[in-house]
Amino acid sequence: MRVVGPAPPGLRQVTGWIMRHPDRLSESEGKRLAEVLTRCPELAAAHRLVRSFAQILSTRTGQHLKAWVVRARAEELPGVHSFAAGLEKDWDAVVQGLTSHWNSGPVEGRVNHIKMVKRQMFGRAKLPLLRKRVLLTAAR
């Protein structure tokens, strides 16, 4: 009789492991991720870059971003190259966002809420009712 081992993890599962903070991985997930990373050097390189970028994000140390982009360009990972190129297109804003304590989160949340209310009312009412709903929910 032939024993079949466990199925290899799927793309989404491995991506989830890589994107999650290492402290939030269970012991078995950490072992499986380490096994996958030893089998695929490109994935291991991507994992290192993701972890270092996450460190820059969480510590708000945008001054280290240039070194990260240089390391990212040194790897043979086209997806990471295009991400780095996207960062470089608006470099000043990215660095400012990663170093400043100011953010536009509350404004973006409000805009998102207004769009949700608008979608809920699509085709049902005119602008006066939409205006009242937006203003009433803004008071909360």
Side-chain angles (χ1 to χ4, degrees):
M1 176 192 271
R2 189 171 167 200
V3 177
V4 178
L11 176 65
R12 286 180 188 245
Q13 194 171 29
V14 174
T15 302
W17 294 338
I18 290 173
M19 297 304 289
R20 230 178 311 157
H21 192 280
D23 294 345
R24 298 194 186 265
L25 291 174
S26 69
E27 190 175 321
S28 64
E29 290 172 333
K31 286 180 183 177
R32 291 188 72 193
L33 175 61
E35 182 181 315
V36 168
L37 295 177
T38 57
R39 293 175 184 239
C40 181
E42 292 87 4
L43 198 54
H47 180 256
R48 283 191 304 275
L49 289 169
V50 166
R51 293 285 6 113
S52 60
F53 188 78
Q55 182 69 23
I56 291 170
L57 282 176
S58 62
T59 58
R60 303 188 76 70
T61 51
Q63 63 271 21
H64 300 302
L65 192 59
K66 191 64 175 173
W68 183 89
V69 169
V70 169
R71 285 194 317 272
R73 293 224 181 262
E75 299 291 343
E76 295 295 325
L77 302 168
V80 176
H81 287 191
S82 64
F83 178 71
L87 292 176
E88 289 175 324
K89 283 183 182 176
D90 202 7
W91 187 257
D92 292 335
V94 172
V95 172
Q96 182 65 28
L98 290 174
T99 54
S100 174
H101 66 278
W102 298 100
N103 70 63
S104 62
V107 174
E108 293 295 331
R110 194 73 203 132
V111 168
N112 192 31
H113 179 262
I114 291 170
K115 288 180 178 180
M116 181 200 65
V117 169
K118 183 180 173 187
R119 275 187 229 107
Q120 284 176 339
M121 296 178 54
F122 183 74
R124 295 192 189 115
K126 301 287 184 222
L127 187 60
L129 181 58
L130 174 63
R131 184 174 187 270
K132 284 182 183 179
R133 282 197 64 194
V134 167
L135 292 176
L136 284 174
T137 57
R140 293 183 189 166

